Short mmCIF file of all heavy atoms in Angstrom, two decimals:
data_model
loop_
_atom_site.label_atom_id
_atom_site.label_comp_id
_atom_site.label_asym_id
_atom_site.label_seq_id
_atom_site.Cartn_x
_atom_site.Cartn_y
_atom_site.Cartn_z
N ARG A 109 19.74 40.30 -9.95
CA ARG A 109 21.01 39.70 -9.55
C ARG A 109 21.68 38.92 -10.68
O ARG A 109 22.84 38.55 -10.58
CB ARG A 109 20.78 38.73 -8.38
CG ARG A 109 20.21 39.42 -7.15
CD ARG A 109 20.47 38.62 -5.91
NE ARG A 109 19.54 37.53 -5.74
CZ ARG A 109 18.54 37.53 -4.84
NH1 ARG A 109 18.37 38.56 -4.06
NH2 ARG A 109 17.75 36.50 -4.73
N TYR A 110 20.92 38.62 -11.71
CA TYR A 110 21.46 37.76 -12.78
C TYR A 110 21.88 38.58 -13.99
O TYR A 110 21.25 39.57 -14.34
CB TYR A 110 20.40 36.74 -13.21
CG TYR A 110 20.05 35.75 -12.13
CD1 TYR A 110 19.00 35.97 -11.26
CD2 TYR A 110 20.80 34.58 -11.98
CE1 TYR A 110 18.68 35.06 -10.26
CE2 TYR A 110 20.49 33.66 -10.99
CZ TYR A 110 19.43 33.91 -10.13
OH TYR A 110 19.13 33.00 -9.14
N ARG A 114 16.39 35.62 -17.77
CA ARG A 114 15.85 34.27 -17.83
C ARG A 114 16.44 33.35 -16.76
O ARG A 114 15.80 32.39 -16.34
CB ARG A 114 16.09 33.69 -19.23
CG ARG A 114 15.45 32.33 -19.38
CD ARG A 114 15.54 31.77 -20.79
NE ARG A 114 14.93 30.45 -20.77
CZ ARG A 114 14.25 29.91 -21.76
NH1 ARG A 114 14.13 30.57 -22.89
NH2 ARG A 114 13.73 28.72 -21.64
N SER A 115 17.66 33.66 -16.32
CA SER A 115 18.29 32.85 -15.29
C SER A 115 17.47 32.83 -14.00
O SER A 115 17.61 31.93 -13.18
CB SER A 115 19.70 33.36 -14.99
OG SER A 115 20.58 32.97 -16.01
N HIS A 122 9.28 29.27 -8.22
CA HIS A 122 9.10 28.95 -6.80
C HIS A 122 8.28 30.05 -6.11
O HIS A 122 7.45 29.77 -5.25
CB HIS A 122 10.45 28.82 -6.09
CG HIS A 122 11.10 27.48 -6.25
ND1 HIS A 122 10.54 26.32 -5.76
CD2 HIS A 122 12.28 27.11 -6.80
CE1 HIS A 122 11.34 25.29 -6.01
NE2 HIS A 122 12.41 25.74 -6.66
N GLY A 152 7.94 25.18 -20.67
CA GLY A 152 8.97 24.24 -21.10
C GLY A 152 9.98 23.97 -20.00
O GLY A 152 10.35 22.83 -19.73
N THR A 153 10.40 25.04 -19.33
CA THR A 153 11.33 24.86 -18.22
C THR A 153 10.62 24.27 -17.01
O THR A 153 11.07 23.30 -16.41
CB THR A 153 11.96 26.23 -17.84
OG1 THR A 153 12.79 26.65 -18.93
CG2 THR A 153 12.81 26.11 -16.58
N SER A 155 8.05 22.42 -16.60
CA SER A 155 7.60 21.03 -16.63
C SER A 155 8.75 20.03 -16.49
O SER A 155 8.52 18.84 -16.33
CB SER A 155 6.83 20.76 -17.93
OG SER A 155 7.68 20.99 -19.04
N PHE A 156 9.97 20.52 -16.54
CA PHE A 156 11.12 19.62 -16.39
C PHE A 156 11.36 19.25 -14.94
O PHE A 156 11.98 18.24 -14.65
CB PHE A 156 12.38 20.31 -16.96
CG PHE A 156 13.59 19.44 -17.03
CD1 PHE A 156 13.75 18.51 -18.05
CD2 PHE A 156 14.61 19.55 -16.08
CE1 PHE A 156 14.88 17.71 -18.13
CE2 PHE A 156 15.75 18.76 -16.16
CZ PHE A 156 15.89 17.84 -17.19
N TYR A 157 10.90 20.09 -14.03
CA TYR A 157 11.33 19.98 -12.64
C TYR A 157 10.25 19.45 -11.72
O TYR A 157 9.12 19.96 -11.70
CB TYR A 157 11.83 21.35 -12.14
CG TYR A 157 13.03 21.84 -12.92
CD1 TYR A 157 12.88 22.66 -14.04
CD2 TYR A 157 14.31 21.45 -12.57
CE1 TYR A 157 13.98 23.09 -14.77
CE2 TYR A 157 15.42 21.86 -13.29
CZ TYR A 157 15.25 22.69 -14.39
OH TYR A 157 16.34 23.11 -15.12
N GLU A 158 10.65 18.40 -11.00
CA GLU A 158 9.77 17.67 -10.09
C GLU A 158 9.02 18.55 -9.07
O GLU A 158 7.87 18.32 -8.76
CB GLU A 158 10.66 16.68 -9.33
CG GLU A 158 9.97 15.53 -8.68
CD GLU A 158 9.85 14.35 -9.62
OE1 GLU A 158 10.70 14.18 -10.53
OE2 GLU A 158 8.89 13.61 -9.45
N MET A 159 9.72 19.55 -8.54
CA MET A 159 9.13 20.31 -7.42
C MET A 159 8.08 21.30 -7.88
O MET A 159 7.29 21.77 -7.06
CB MET A 159 10.23 21.10 -6.67
CG MET A 159 11.20 20.25 -5.92
SD MET A 159 12.52 21.27 -5.22
CE MET A 159 11.64 22.11 -3.90
N THR A 174 12.43 6.22 -0.88
CA THR A 174 12.54 4.77 -0.97
C THR A 174 13.80 4.37 -1.72
O THR A 174 13.95 3.24 -2.14
CB THR A 174 11.32 4.17 -1.72
OG1 THR A 174 11.29 4.72 -3.05
CG2 THR A 174 10.02 4.49 -1.00
N SER A 177 19.61 3.61 0.06
CA SER A 177 20.02 3.58 1.47
C SER A 177 18.80 3.49 2.38
O SER A 177 18.81 2.82 3.40
CB SER A 177 20.85 4.80 1.83
OG SER A 177 21.97 4.88 0.99
N LEU A 180 17.13 -0.03 2.21
CA LEU A 180 17.81 -1.04 3.02
C LEU A 180 17.34 -1.01 4.47
O LEU A 180 17.45 -1.99 5.19
CB LEU A 180 19.33 -0.84 2.96
CG LEU A 180 19.99 -1.09 1.60
CD1 LEU A 180 21.45 -0.66 1.63
CD2 LEU A 180 19.86 -2.56 1.21
N ASP A 211 6.45 9.16 -3.55
CA ASP A 211 7.50 8.14 -3.42
C ASP A 211 8.71 8.73 -4.14
O ASP A 211 8.69 8.83 -5.36
CB ASP A 211 6.99 6.86 -4.11
CG ASP A 211 8.08 5.83 -4.34
OD1 ASP A 211 9.25 6.05 -3.98
OD2 ASP A 211 7.73 4.77 -4.93
N GLU A 213 13.04 9.95 -4.73
CA GLU A 213 14.43 9.50 -4.81
C GLU A 213 15.23 10.15 -3.68
O GLU A 213 14.72 11.01 -2.95
CB GLU A 213 15.01 9.87 -6.18
CG GLU A 213 14.23 9.29 -7.38
CD GLU A 213 14.29 7.77 -7.46
OE1 GLU A 213 15.06 7.15 -6.70
OE2 GLU A 213 13.54 7.20 -8.28
N CYS A 214 16.48 9.76 -3.61
CA CYS A 214 17.38 10.13 -2.50
C CYS A 214 17.28 11.61 -2.13
O CYS A 214 17.33 12.50 -2.97
CB CYS A 214 18.80 9.79 -2.89
SG CYS A 214 20.03 10.22 -1.65
N ALA A 216 19.41 12.97 0.19
CA ALA A 216 20.68 13.35 0.83
C ALA A 216 20.56 13.36 2.35
O ALA A 216 20.95 14.32 3.02
CB ALA A 216 21.20 14.69 0.30
N GLN A 225 10.50 13.94 3.91
CA GLN A 225 10.40 15.39 4.01
C GLN A 225 8.93 15.77 4.01
O GLN A 225 8.13 15.17 3.29
CB GLN A 225 11.06 16.08 2.81
CG GLN A 225 12.58 16.01 2.79
CD GLN A 225 13.16 16.88 1.68
OE1 GLN A 225 12.60 16.96 0.59
NE2 GLN A 225 14.28 17.53 1.95
N HIS A 262 12.51 28.28 1.33
CA HIS A 262 13.26 28.92 2.40
C HIS A 262 12.55 30.21 2.82
O HIS A 262 12.00 30.92 2.00
CB HIS A 262 14.70 29.20 1.96
CG HIS A 262 14.83 29.83 0.62
ND1 HIS A 262 14.96 29.11 -0.54
CD2 HIS A 262 14.85 31.13 0.25
CE1 HIS A 262 15.06 29.94 -1.56
NE2 HIS A 262 14.99 31.16 -1.11
N ARG A 263 12.61 30.48 4.12
CA ARG A 263 11.94 31.68 4.64
C ARG A 263 12.92 32.80 4.93
O ARG A 263 12.53 33.87 5.37
CB ARG A 263 11.11 31.33 5.88
CG ARG A 263 9.86 30.53 5.50
CD ARG A 263 9.12 30.05 6.71
NE ARG A 263 9.90 29.04 7.41
CZ ARG A 263 9.49 28.40 8.50
NH1 ARG A 263 8.32 28.70 9.02
NH2 ARG A 263 10.23 27.48 9.06
N ARG A 265 15.58 35.09 2.92
CA ARG A 265 15.97 35.39 1.54
C ARG A 265 17.27 36.15 1.50
O ARG A 265 17.60 36.90 2.41
CB ARG A 265 14.90 36.26 0.86
CG ARG A 265 13.61 35.55 0.63
CD ARG A 265 12.64 36.49 -0.09
NE ARG A 265 11.28 36.03 0.06
CZ ARG A 265 10.74 35.06 -0.66
NH1 ARG A 265 11.43 34.46 -1.59
NH2 ARG A 265 9.49 34.70 -0.45
N GLN A 266 17.99 35.96 0.39
CA GLN A 266 19.18 36.77 0.20
C GLN A 266 18.77 38.18 -0.22
O GLN A 266 17.88 38.36 -1.05
CB GLN A 266 20.07 36.17 -0.90
CG GLN A 266 21.32 37.01 -1.12
CD GLN A 266 22.26 36.48 -2.20
OE1 GLN A 266 21.88 35.65 -3.03
NE2 GLN A 266 23.48 36.97 -2.19
N HIS A 267 19.39 39.19 0.39
CA HIS A 267 19.22 40.57 -0.07
C HIS A 267 20.60 41.17 -0.22
O HIS A 267 21.36 41.22 0.75
CB HIS A 267 18.40 41.39 0.94
CG HIS A 267 16.99 40.93 1.08
ND1 HIS A 267 16.06 41.07 0.06
CD2 HIS A 267 16.36 40.29 2.08
CE1 HIS A 267 14.91 40.54 0.46
NE2 HIS A 267 15.06 40.07 1.67
N ARG A 272 26.62 47.69 -1.43
CA ARG A 272 27.69 46.69 -1.33
C ARG A 272 27.80 45.85 -2.61
O ARG A 272 28.71 45.03 -2.75
CB ARG A 272 27.44 45.74 -0.15
CG ARG A 272 27.63 46.33 1.23
CD ARG A 272 29.10 46.43 1.66
NE ARG A 272 29.88 45.27 1.26
CZ ARG A 272 31.02 45.34 0.58
NH1 ARG A 272 31.52 46.50 0.23
NH2 ARG A 272 31.67 44.25 0.26
N ALA A 274 28.47 44.28 -6.14
CA ALA A 274 29.42 44.40 -7.25
C ALA A 274 28.65 44.47 -8.57
O ALA A 274 29.14 44.99 -9.56
CB ALA A 274 30.38 43.22 -7.25
N GLY A 275 27.45 43.91 -8.56
CA GLY A 275 26.61 43.92 -9.76
C GLY A 275 26.84 42.69 -10.62
O GLY A 275 27.90 42.07 -10.56
N ALA A 277 27.77 40.30 -13.59
CA ALA A 277 28.83 40.37 -14.60
C ALA A 277 28.21 40.07 -15.96
O ALA A 277 27.89 38.92 -16.27
CB ALA A 277 29.93 39.36 -14.27
N GLN A 283 35.96 42.78 -20.06
CA GLN A 283 37.16 43.38 -19.49
C GLN A 283 37.78 42.48 -18.44
O GLN A 283 37.08 41.84 -17.68
CB GLN A 283 36.77 44.68 -18.79
CG GLN A 283 36.40 45.80 -19.72
CD GLN A 283 37.25 47.01 -19.48
OE1 GLN A 283 37.65 47.28 -18.34
NE2 GLN A 283 37.57 47.74 -20.53
N TRP A 287 41.49 43.00 -10.27
CA TRP A 287 42.54 42.29 -9.53
C TRP A 287 43.33 41.32 -10.41
O TRP A 287 44.35 40.81 -10.00
CB TRP A 287 41.96 41.57 -8.31
CG TRP A 287 41.12 40.35 -8.64
CD1 TRP A 287 41.52 39.06 -8.63
CD2 TRP A 287 39.74 40.32 -9.02
NE1 TRP A 287 40.48 38.22 -8.98
CE2 TRP A 287 39.38 38.97 -9.23
CE3 TRP A 287 38.76 41.31 -9.22
CZ2 TRP A 287 38.10 38.59 -9.62
CZ3 TRP A 287 37.49 40.92 -9.60
CH2 TRP A 287 37.17 39.58 -9.79
N GLU A 292 47.14 39.09 -15.88
CA GLU A 292 46.69 38.62 -17.19
C GLU A 292 46.07 39.80 -17.94
O GLU A 292 45.05 40.31 -17.52
CB GLU A 292 45.60 37.56 -17.02
CG GLU A 292 46.09 36.14 -17.13
CD GLU A 292 44.92 35.16 -17.12
OE1 GLU A 292 44.24 35.05 -18.17
OE2 GLU A 292 44.69 34.54 -16.09
N TYR B 159 32.92 33.11 -14.82
CA TYR B 159 32.00 32.85 -13.71
C TYR B 159 32.47 31.65 -12.91
O TYR B 159 33.20 30.78 -13.42
CB TYR B 159 30.59 32.54 -14.23
CG TYR B 159 29.97 33.66 -15.03
CD1 TYR B 159 29.94 33.62 -16.43
CD2 TYR B 159 29.40 34.76 -14.40
CE1 TYR B 159 29.37 34.64 -17.17
CE2 TYR B 159 28.83 35.79 -15.14
CZ TYR B 159 28.81 35.73 -16.52
OH TYR B 159 28.24 36.73 -17.25
N TYR B 172 25.61 12.13 1.00
CA TYR B 172 25.15 13.11 1.98
C TYR B 172 26.38 13.72 2.64
O TYR B 172 26.97 13.13 3.52
CB TYR B 172 24.24 12.44 3.02
CG TYR B 172 23.87 13.28 4.21
CD1 TYR B 172 23.87 14.68 4.17
CD2 TYR B 172 23.49 12.67 5.40
CE1 TYR B 172 23.51 15.43 5.28
CE2 TYR B 172 23.14 13.42 6.52
CZ TYR B 172 23.16 14.79 6.46
OH TYR B 172 22.81 15.53 7.56
N ARG B 175 25.24 18.72 1.72
CA ARG B 175 24.14 19.33 2.46
C ARG B 175 24.57 19.64 3.89
O ARG B 175 24.27 20.71 4.43
CB ARG B 175 22.90 18.42 2.48
CG ARG B 175 21.75 19.01 3.29
CD ARG B 175 20.46 18.26 3.06
NE ARG B 175 20.39 16.96 3.71
CZ ARG B 175 19.98 16.75 4.97
NH1 ARG B 175 19.63 17.78 5.72
NH2 ARG B 175 19.92 15.54 5.47
N TYR B 194 38.44 34.52 -6.81
CA TYR B 194 39.61 35.40 -6.83
C TYR B 194 40.73 34.77 -7.67
O TYR B 194 41.32 35.43 -8.53
CB TYR B 194 40.09 35.64 -5.39
CG TYR B 194 41.35 36.45 -5.31
CD1 TYR B 194 41.34 37.82 -5.59
CD2 TYR B 194 42.57 35.85 -4.98
CE1 TYR B 194 42.50 38.57 -5.53
CE2 TYR B 194 43.74 36.60 -4.92
CZ TYR B 194 43.70 37.95 -5.21
OH TYR B 194 44.86 38.69 -5.17
N GLN B 200 31.63 36.94 -10.86
CA GLN B 200 30.38 36.61 -10.19
C GLN B 200 30.35 35.12 -9.87
O GLN B 200 30.82 34.29 -10.66
CB GLN B 200 29.17 37.01 -11.06
CG GLN B 200 27.88 37.08 -10.26
CD GLN B 200 26.73 37.68 -11.06
OE1 GLN B 200 26.82 37.88 -12.26
NE2 GLN B 200 25.64 37.97 -10.37
N ARG B 206 20.53 22.51 -4.27
CA ARG B 206 19.42 21.64 -4.64
C ARG B 206 18.10 22.21 -4.10
O ARG B 206 18.02 22.68 -2.97
CB ARG B 206 19.68 20.25 -4.05
CG ARG B 206 18.59 19.27 -4.39
CD ARG B 206 18.97 17.85 -3.99
NE ARG B 206 17.81 17.00 -4.13
CZ ARG B 206 17.74 15.73 -3.74
NH1 ARG B 206 18.80 15.17 -3.19
NH2 ARG B 206 16.64 15.03 -3.90
N GLU B 208 15.31 20.91 -3.06
CA GLU B 208 14.68 20.27 -1.90
C GLU B 208 15.33 20.63 -0.57
O GLU B 208 14.87 20.20 0.47
CB GLU B 208 14.70 18.74 -2.06
CG GLU B 208 13.77 18.20 -3.14
CD GLU B 208 14.44 18.06 -4.50
OE1 GLU B 208 15.42 18.78 -4.76
OE2 GLU B 208 13.98 17.22 -5.29
N GLN B 213 19.34 26.35 2.01
CA GLN B 213 19.11 27.65 1.36
C GLN B 213 19.00 28.76 2.40
O GLN B 213 19.56 29.84 2.22
CB GLN B 213 17.83 27.57 0.51
CG GLN B 213 17.95 26.63 -0.68
CD GLN B 213 16.61 26.10 -1.15
OE1 GLN B 213 15.56 26.69 -0.87
NE2 GLN B 213 16.62 24.98 -1.85
N GLU B 214 18.29 28.47 3.48
CA GLU B 214 18.14 29.51 4.52
C GLU B 214 19.49 29.85 5.15
O GLU B 214 19.82 31.02 5.37
CB GLU B 214 17.16 29.03 5.60
CG GLU B 214 15.74 28.97 5.10
CD GLU B 214 14.72 28.60 6.17
OE1 GLU B 214 15.12 28.14 7.27
OE2 GLU B 214 13.51 28.77 5.91
N ASN B 221 23.90 37.27 3.63
CA ASN B 221 23.47 38.58 4.11
C ASN B 221 24.46 39.13 5.14
O ASN B 221 24.83 40.30 5.11
CB ASN B 221 22.06 38.50 4.70
CG ASN B 221 21.00 38.25 3.62
OD1 ASN B 221 21.29 38.38 2.43
ND2 ASN B 221 19.81 37.89 4.03
N TYR B 224 27.88 39.96 3.44
CA TYR B 224 27.82 41.25 2.72
C TYR B 224 27.96 42.41 3.70
O TYR B 224 28.71 43.36 3.48
CB TYR B 224 26.50 41.38 1.95
CG TYR B 224 26.58 40.92 0.51
CD1 TYR B 224 26.17 39.65 0.14
CD2 TYR B 224 27.08 41.77 -0.48
CE1 TYR B 224 26.25 39.23 -1.18
CE2 TYR B 224 27.16 41.37 -1.81
CZ TYR B 224 26.74 40.09 -2.15
OH TYR B 224 26.82 39.68 -3.45
N VAL B 229 31.84 40.04 0.97
CA VAL B 229 31.31 39.73 -0.37
C VAL B 229 30.86 41.05 -0.99
O VAL B 229 30.44 41.96 -0.29
CB VAL B 229 30.07 38.80 -0.31
CG1 VAL B 229 29.79 38.19 -1.68
CG2 VAL B 229 30.22 37.72 0.73
N GLU B 231 31.29 44.47 -3.41
CA GLU B 231 32.24 45.43 -3.97
C GLU B 231 33.46 45.57 -3.06
O GLU B 231 33.33 45.66 -1.84
CB GLU B 231 31.52 46.78 -4.09
CG GLU B 231 32.38 47.87 -4.66
CD GLU B 231 31.85 48.32 -6.00
OE1 GLU B 231 30.74 48.87 -6.02
OE2 GLU B 231 32.55 48.13 -7.01
N ASP B 241 30.04 39.50 -6.62
CA ASP B 241 28.81 39.10 -5.95
C ASP B 241 28.73 37.58 -5.87
O ASP B 241 29.19 36.88 -6.77
CB ASP B 241 27.59 39.61 -6.74
CG ASP B 241 27.23 41.05 -6.36
OD1 ASP B 241 27.68 41.49 -5.28
OD2 ASP B 241 26.52 41.70 -7.14
N VAL B 242 28.15 37.11 -4.78
CA VAL B 242 27.83 35.68 -4.66
C VAL B 242 26.32 35.59 -4.60
O VAL B 242 25.68 36.15 -3.70
CB VAL B 242 28.46 35.06 -3.40
CG1 VAL B 242 28.05 33.59 -3.28
CG2 VAL B 242 29.98 35.18 -3.45
N LEU B 244 22.85 33.43 -4.43
CA LEU B 244 22.23 32.15 -4.07
C LEU B 244 21.19 31.79 -5.13
O LEU B 244 20.29 32.58 -5.42
CB LEU B 244 21.57 32.27 -2.70
CG LEU B 244 20.81 31.04 -2.21
CD1 LEU B 244 21.74 29.86 -2.01
CD2 LEU B 244 20.06 31.35 -0.91
N HIS B 245 21.34 30.61 -5.70
CA HIS B 245 20.38 30.12 -6.69
C HIS B 245 19.87 28.77 -6.19
O HIS B 245 20.60 28.05 -5.52
CB HIS B 245 21.07 29.96 -8.05
CG HIS B 245 20.13 29.58 -9.16
ND1 HIS B 245 19.43 30.52 -9.88
CD2 HIS B 245 19.78 28.38 -9.67
CE1 HIS B 245 18.67 29.89 -10.79
NE2 HIS B 245 18.87 28.60 -10.67
N GLY B 247 17.45 25.16 -7.12
CA GLY B 247 16.87 24.35 -8.18
C GLY B 247 15.45 23.94 -7.85
O GLY B 247 14.81 24.47 -6.93
N ALA B 248 14.95 22.96 -8.61
CA ALA B 248 13.55 22.59 -8.43
C ALA B 248 13.33 21.09 -8.61
O ALA B 248 12.26 20.65 -8.97
CB ALA B 248 12.67 23.38 -9.40
N GLY B 249 14.39 20.31 -8.34
CA GLY B 249 14.18 18.87 -8.34
C GLY B 249 14.46 18.23 -9.68
O GLY B 249 13.57 18.14 -10.53
N SER B 262 20.36 24.81 -16.54
CA SER B 262 19.34 25.13 -15.56
C SER B 262 19.50 26.57 -15.05
O SER B 262 18.54 27.30 -14.89
CB SER B 262 19.41 24.14 -14.41
OG SER B 262 18.40 24.38 -13.48
N LEU B 263 20.75 26.94 -14.84
CA LEU B 263 21.04 28.29 -14.35
C LEU B 263 20.74 29.35 -15.42
O LEU B 263 20.56 30.53 -15.11
CB LEU B 263 22.50 28.35 -13.91
CG LEU B 263 23.03 29.58 -13.18
CD1 LEU B 263 22.14 29.97 -12.01
CD2 LEU B 263 24.45 29.32 -12.69
N GLY B 265 18.03 29.13 -17.01
CA GLY B 265 16.57 29.15 -17.05
C GLY B 265 15.96 28.13 -18.00
O GLY B 265 14.81 28.27 -18.41
N ASN B 266 16.74 27.11 -18.32
CA ASN B 266 16.26 26.10 -19.27
C ASN B 266 15.99 24.76 -18.59
O ASN B 266 16.27 24.60 -17.41
CB ASN B 266 17.31 25.89 -20.37
CG ASN B 266 17.63 27.16 -21.10
OD1 ASN B 266 16.74 28.00 -21.32
ND2 ASN B 266 18.88 27.35 -21.45
N ARG B 267 15.48 23.81 -19.37
CA ARG B 267 15.42 22.44 -18.90
C ARG B 267 16.86 21.99 -18.66
O ARG B 267 17.73 22.31 -19.46
CB ARG B 267 14.75 21.54 -19.95
CG ARG B 267 13.31 21.94 -20.23
CD ARG B 267 12.75 21.26 -21.46
NE ARG B 267 12.39 19.86 -21.23
CZ ARG B 267 11.25 19.45 -20.69
NH1 ARG B 267 10.35 20.32 -20.31
NH2 ARG B 267 11.00 18.17 -20.54
N GLY B 268 17.08 21.24 -17.60
CA GLY B 268 18.46 20.94 -17.22
C GLY B 268 19.09 19.80 -18.00
O GLY B 268 19.55 18.82 -17.43
N TYR B 284 26.38 31.22 -20.13
CA TYR B 284 26.27 32.20 -21.24
C TYR B 284 27.45 32.06 -22.21
O TYR B 284 27.91 33.05 -22.80
CB TYR B 284 26.20 33.63 -20.69
CG TYR B 284 25.30 33.81 -19.50
CD1 TYR B 284 25.80 34.28 -18.29
CD2 TYR B 284 23.94 33.50 -19.57
CE1 TYR B 284 24.98 34.42 -17.18
CE2 TYR B 284 23.11 33.64 -18.46
CZ TYR B 284 23.64 34.11 -17.27
OH TYR B 284 22.83 34.25 -16.16
N SER B 327 26.39 4.53 4.62
CA SER B 327 24.97 4.31 4.92
C SER B 327 24.63 2.84 4.73
O SER B 327 25.44 2.06 4.25
CB SER B 327 24.10 5.18 4.01
OG SER B 327 24.21 4.75 2.67
N HIS B 329 23.58 -0.97 6.05
CA HIS B 329 23.58 -1.91 7.18
C HIS B 329 24.83 -1.87 8.04
O HIS B 329 25.42 -2.91 8.32
CB HIS B 329 23.37 -3.32 6.64
CG HIS B 329 22.03 -3.52 5.99
ND1 HIS B 329 21.81 -4.39 4.94
CD2 HIS B 329 20.83 -2.94 6.25
CE1 HIS B 329 20.53 -4.34 4.58
NE2 HIS B 329 19.92 -3.47 5.35
N ARG B 418 16.20 -1.03 -7.53
CA ARG B 418 15.91 0.29 -6.96
C ARG B 418 16.87 1.35 -7.51
O ARG B 418 16.48 2.48 -7.77
CB ARG B 418 15.98 0.23 -5.43
CG ARG B 418 15.45 1.50 -4.77
CD ARG B 418 14.01 1.76 -5.19
NE ARG B 418 13.52 3.08 -4.79
CZ ARG B 418 13.78 4.23 -5.41
NH1 ARG B 418 14.57 4.24 -6.48
NH2 ARG B 418 13.27 5.36 -4.98
N ARG B 421 15.83 1.99 -11.11
CA ARG B 421 14.63 2.84 -11.16
C ARG B 421 15.00 4.31 -11.00
O ARG B 421 14.44 5.18 -11.67
CB ARG B 421 13.65 2.45 -10.04
CG ARG B 421 12.32 3.20 -10.17
CD ARG B 421 11.45 3.11 -8.92
NE ARG B 421 11.42 4.39 -8.22
CZ ARG B 421 10.62 4.68 -7.19
NH1 ARG B 421 9.81 3.76 -6.70
NH2 ARG B 421 10.66 5.87 -6.63
N ASN B 425 14.07 7.10 -13.71
CA ASN B 425 13.29 8.29 -13.34
C ASN B 425 14.02 9.58 -13.68
O ASN B 425 13.40 10.59 -13.98
CB ASN B 425 13.01 8.31 -11.83
CG ASN B 425 11.77 7.53 -11.47
OD1 ASN B 425 11.03 7.10 -12.34
ND2 ASN B 425 11.56 7.35 -10.19
#
Side-chain angles (χ1 to χ4, degrees):
Chain A
R109 299 202 280 254
Y110 294 92
R114 185 174 178 146
S115 284
H122 277 297
T153 293
S155 60
F156 187 79
Y157 298 92
E158 199 89 29
M159 292 174 72
T174 61
S177 303
L180 293 172
D211 166 1
E213 303 294 351
C214 179
Q225 289 188 322
H262 48 270
R263 288 174 292 182
R265 291 182 199 280
Q266 179 180 17
H267 294 291
R272 289 281 320 128
Q283 288 237 327
W287 72 97
E292 261 187 77
Chain B
Y159 299 101
Y172 171 25
R175 178 168 74 87
Y194 176 72
Q200 197 171 10
R206 181 171 171 187
E208 289 92 335
Q213 293 156 21
E214 290 184 347
N221 291 347
Y224 267 97
V229 196
E231 180 114 65
D241 275 341
V242 177
L244 177 64
H245 185 86
S262 183
L263 188 50
N266 302 324
R267 298 167 76 83
Y284 317 120
S327 67
H329 295 149
R418 190 58 190 79
R421 187 194 108 172
N425 274 352

